[in-house]
Amino acid sequence: MPDDIRDTAPNLEDVDYDELSRFFEKKGAVELISLLDDEGYRFDEIDDLLDVSRGYLNDRRDEAVHLRLIVPDQAYRDDSVRRVWTLTALGHYLRQRMRHLGVTESHERLITARREYEDRKSDFLEWVDDPESIEAYAEDMRAGNRVHPTELPAKIQDLFRRIDDDRF
């Protein structure tokens, strides 16, 4: 094997399965392995995507390295070399099982939901920072104007339309 290609194939006889099981019971372990893929992520990217404290994340990363689930690697991005964390072969095997059980898909939806929440929260905070917006909204509400359906995101409006159309 060439020197620049790392062999991460596990010797399954060397795996401490009890320690592996205890690892996945800890906060952030499933999330970390579920997130990682062939491209790898920088630690700051992992920290941004997971709803786990940086301290827990540091601990899980170190434990995952010890268990030979992840390794530091290099990725070429934006015309520079960056240190990233990627899965080993054993990490891939376990993530594949997560995928088959729907864990990775559910985790991706959770990450997306968190991003959407932060975006919508930001929009609300921007709106609430404008007294004229609040006053106009309050006046429309008092006048009995239907302000809510037109202000809902398009996806939710479409969902409500489908629910109304699917009545018994």
Side-chain angles (χ1 to χ4, degrees):
M1 178 175 293
D3 291 336
D4 63 338
I5 298 176
R6 188 179 333 193
D7 181 12
T8 64
N11 180 349
L12 297 177
E13 293 175 5
D14 293 339
V15 175
D16 184 337
Y17 293 101
D18 290 333
E19 189 176 6
L20 187 67
S21 180
R22 285 191 300 274
F23 167 74
F24 279 107
E25 291 173 0
K26 295 178 181 178
K27 182 176 179 106
V30 171
E31 293 86 345
L32 175 62
I33 303 304
S34 176
L35 174 70
L36 294 178
D37 58 19
D38 294 334
E39 300 297 315
Y41 286 86
R42 296 188 57 171
F43 186 79
D44 286 341
E45 293 170 329
I46 296 168
D47 187 35
D48 288 344
L49 290 169
L50 298 184
D51 190 27
V52 179
S53 77
R54 198 170 184 95
Y56 280 122
L57 205 49
N58 275 318
D59 292 346
R60 295 306 88 81
R61 179 198 57 203
D62 294 346
E63 293 165 353
V65 168
H66 170 74
L67 290 167
R68 297 186 188 109
L69 298 174
I70 67 172
V71 291
D73 205 351
Q74 295 180 345
Y76 297 96
R77 295 188 189 152
D78 303 324
D79 296 328
S80 64
V81 177
R82 300 191 179 203
R83 182 180 185 162
V84 296
W85 294 94
T86 60
L87 295 171
T88 63
L90 179 59
H92 276 289
Y93 300 155
L94 298 173
R95 186 179 188 278
Q96 188 68 9
R97 182 63 178 158
M98 286 181 192
R99 194 174 140 282
H100 286 283
L101 294 171
V103 174
T104 55
E105 180 185 349
S106 295
H107 188 240
E108 289 167 5
R109 285 195 318 264
L110 181 60
I111 289 171
T112 300
R114 283 189 190 119
R115 284 181 181 160
E116 288 175 2
Y117 168 75
E118 289 301 324
D119 289 346
R120 291 174 183 170
K121 178 180 170 184
S122 177
D123 290 347
F124 171 74
L125 293 175
E126 186 178 310
W127 176 85
V128 80
D129 195 36
D130 179 9
E132 291 176 14
S133 296
I134 298 170
E135 291 170 4
Y137 185 79
E139 287 175 20
D140 281 344
M141 293 286 292
R142 277 187 286 213
N145 296 335
R146 295 192 59 181
V147 293
H148 295 290
T150 59
E151 291 188 11
L152 291 174
K155 288 181 183 178
I156 295 177
Q157 289 180 33
D158 184 50
L159 175 66
F160 284 146
R161 273 197 281 296
R162 281 187 278 144
I163 290 171
D164 289 342
D165 292 343
D166 290 342
R167 287 193 161 164
F168 295 85

